Amino acid sequence: MQQPRPLVISTAPFDRQGGTTNRMMAEVLIALAPVALAAIWFFGVVAILVPLAAAAGACLVEWLAGDRKGLGSLRDGSALLTGLLLAYTLPPGVALWIAFLGGAVAIGLGKLIWGGLGQNIFNPALVGRAFLQAAFPTVMTTWTAPGQDFFHISGQTFAAPLMHGSVDGVTAATALGRLKFQHDPTALDLSPLFWGNTGGSLGETSAFLLIAAALFLIARRTFDWRLFVSTLAGAAAVSGALFLANTDKYPNPLFMLFAGGLMFGAVFMVTDPVTSPITPKGAWIFGAGVGLLVVIIRLFGGLPESVMYSILLMNALTPHINRKTQPRRFGG
């Protein structure tokens, strides 16, 4: 006679997808791989050295803060991913010691000080970049032109800590810099922005590859697609309204989507499950807020780029958004 199965009483959630932190980190790294290869194609060997330096700084601090037995908390891959994401928001010509320091700050101040994995309020990689932006503003706004010799390494790359090396590479203004300081939106070509042959941070040059990465992560259900879509929709709506109001003054909405770090941020930063809202309605609000702030700061603020500050500001609102968008309890 078959024995009846015991009745198990437990708390929610009852529907599990079987996902793990390691699987999520691995899928994000897979999505990041084409972006990394494009960076190497456009900027040469420095696109290998800078990510290695940033990842080393992040992993070293993570290991030192742990029990230092074996790999410790490095096994979940979050420190490695944080260091790499930071690296792809940096200029190609940044000194390696600065990239290393940024990785260390990203983990130390962006993650560990809040209690570790899953406890931080702000995106750790952007915390590291915000620190570098404040500490080294000149280095962080000096952009290398793509297409130089593959093995070219400037004196700045291997400069000693707190020192400056010689600048012997060809620099170029970014598309957003030209818009901000030359005030000529009609001279901006969308094709280089879409395919990637333009100056900028290591990972933000090719909108095509970033869209492909987003589609891969959406298909794998690695992140909430609402965050990615609402970020781009918010930026397109605001910039589109301004463009229709004055086509001579404001750029095409596609320029806003493809230029700078908006696409990279929408794929890899906005969608951070720790620092973004957990409710569907909250995801729409969060993404739309990022897109709105990006356009407003770019066009009316003092900086040509604004993705980092927009995401960090919305990170600060995430707990409030979560509280206000909680669904009503059944019968409540």
Side-chain angles (χ1 to χ4, degrees):
M1 179 177 179
Q2 187 177 6
Q3 296 294 325
R5 298 178 61 184
L7 176 63
V8 178
I9 300 176
S10 64
T11 57
F14 305 108
D15 184 16
R16 300 176 186 273
Q17 296 180 350
T20 63
T21 300
N22 294 65
R23 196 203 74 173
M24 179 182 294
M25 298 299 167
E27 290 179 346
V28 176
L29 288 173
I30 292 172
L32 192 61
V35 179
L37 293 175
I40 295 171
W41 173 265
F42 290 122
F43 299 109
V45 69
V46 294
I48 300 174
L49 299 176
V50 172
L52 287 177
C59 291
L60 178 61
V61 171
E62 178 82 24
W63 184 75
L64 290 175
D67 56 13
R68 280 170 277 177
K69 295 180 180 178
L71 293 177
S73 57
L74 290 174
R75 283 191 290 269
D76 62 32
S78 61
L80 172 64
L81 182 60
T82 298
L84 292 178
L85 290 178
L86 166 68
Y88 292 112
T89 68
L90 299 179
V94 69
L96 298 185
W97 73 269
I98 292 179
F100 180 91
L101 179 62
V105 171
I107 291 296
L109 297 183
K111 174 185 172 184
L112 297 179
I113 198 173
W114 300 95
L117 182 65
Q119 305 299 317
N120 49 291
I121 296 178
F122 300 99
N123 185 286
L126 292 182
V127 170
R129 194 187 192 284
F131 169 79
L132 296 182
Q133 182 75 44
F136 312 102
T138 302
V139 174
M140 294 294 288
T141 53
T142 301
W143 308 102
T144 304
Q148 301 186 52
D149 180 71
F150 181 84
F151 293 102
H152 175 79
I153 297 176
S154 72
Q156 181 74 18
T157 301
F158 287 108
L162 303 179
M163 298 295 174
H164 296 283
S166 59
V167 179
D168 53 359
V170 178
T171 59
T174 63
L176 290 174
R178 291 163 55 197
L179 172 66
K180 172 64 68 177
F181 302 115
Q182 298 179 11
H183 309 289
D184 186 11
T186 60
L188 303 171
D189 190 357
L190 292 178
S191 179
L193 296 176
F194 183 76
W195 296 110
N197 188 23
T198 182
S201 298
L202 284 170
E204 70 181 29
T205 56
S206 175
F208 169 75
L209 291 176
L210 290 168
I211 293 172
L215 294 177
F216 168 76
L217 293 173
I218 290 173
R220 297 292 302 168
R221 302 178 69 181
T222 306
F223 63 56
D224 188 342
W225 60 271
R226 300 175 187 85
L227 292 163
F228 173 74
V229 172
S230 59
T231 299
L232 300 186
V238 179
S239 59
L242 292 171
F243 177 70
L244 292 176
N246 190 338
T247 56
D248 294 328
K249 184 177 181 180
Y250 299 111
N252 187 308
L254 289 178
F255 170 83
M256 275 295 168
L257 298 182
F258 296 161
L262 177 57
M263 198 65 71
F264 185 86
V267 179
F268 294 107
M269 303 295 188
V270 171
T271 54
D272 179 3
V274 176
T275 59
S276 59
I278 59 175
T279 63
K281 187 184 295 182
W284 287 111
I285 295 172
F286 184 89
V290 171
L292 170 67
L293 289 173
V294 166
V295 176
I296 295 300
I297 296 176
R298 279 181 177 178
L299 296 180
F300 303 104
L303 298 173
E305 180 57 290
S306 56
V307 175
M308 174 183 68
Y309 293 115
S310 299
I311 296 175
L312 290 176
L313 286 171
M314 291 306 296
N315 285 161
L317 293 178
T318 294
H320 184 71
I321 295 173
N322 277 332
R323 283 196 297 272
K324 293 296 184 181
T325 57
Q326 286 293 325
R328 292 181 62 187
R329 289 173 296 177
F330 181 72

